Amino acid sequence: KAAVVVGAGDSGLQEALTLAQFAADVLMVEREAAATGQQAYRDAVAEAANIRLLTGYRVVEVLGGEVVTGVRLSEAASDTTQDVECAAVFVYTGLAPATQMLAPLLTLSPTDHVPTDIRLATALPGLFAAGAVRADFSGQAVSAAGDGATAAVTAHSYLERLDQQLSMGR
């Protein structure tokens, strides 16, 4: 299953590049008509064989019960929706968190930030938060980069465990 990165600004593009080192398939979802990050990051993402950028869409719902199983996407131009299977979701949507899509699944902070543990996992298995979207973020770019790396490593471990469980027939 894919890892989904929401947002294609600098942080989202960087996260997709980090995840691409661990995940077989990374889907980036950007509500704008094009990625908004720096050209160097856009070029690197375009060159990565396992990253796909989907523009003009937004995530309206994270699907799953006790674990993430997918996302529901809404196309801006037609307002149609489609469901995409995934094993993990990473939200990089800017400094003001756009996290209401998570409210049915998690208890958000009073400022709509996502609570995480020290490894940046949320209370919902398969959902990770990093950077400005998570509670207790320092507001520094270097911290966001560190968060992205930590979340990617945690997601990788999670996906390996999930794969082992599926192989064992659980």
Side-chain angles (χ1 to χ4, degrees), residues 1-158:
K1 291 183 178 181
V4 172
V5 176
V6 183
D10 286 350
S11 296
L13 293 166
Q14 288 173 327
E15 179 63 11
L17 291 166
T18 300
L19 286 170
Q21 298 173 42
F22 304 103
D25 184 29
V26 177
L27 173 64
M28 296 192 70
V29 179
E30 171 58 47
R31 68 180 176 182
E32 303 298 330
T36 59
Q38 296 177 45
Q39 187 64 48
Y41 298 139
R42 294 194 318 254
D43 291 345
V45 163
E47 292 172 9
N50 59 336
I51 301 176
R52 184 169 53 114
L53 175 61
L54 187 61
T55 59
Y57 284 82
R58 62 187 178 95
V59 175
V60 293
E61 186 176 351
V62 175
L63 305 174
E66 295 196 16
V67 297
V68 172
T69 59
V71 291
R72 179 159 295 135
L73 304 177
S74 175
E75 183 179 19
S78 67
D79 225 15
T80 60
T81 61
Q82 64 177 299
D83 293 349
V84 175
E85 285 188 30
C86 70
V89 179
F90 300 83
V91 180
Y92 286 86
T93 55
L95 297 177
T99 56
Q100 283 306 307
M101 67 181 131
L102 301 173
L105 303 171
L106 294 171
T107 301
L108 300 173
S109 78
T111 57
D112 289 338
H113 288 83
V114 179
T116 63
D117 64 16
I118 194 165
R119 299 188 69 212
L120 303 183
T122 68
L124 179 63
L127 182 65
F128 308 89
V133 74
R134 77 173 180 87
D136 302 318
F137 175 62
S138 70
Q140 301 297 312
V142 69
S143 296
D147 278 5
T150 299
V153 169
T154 302
H156 178 68
S157 297
Y158 169 79

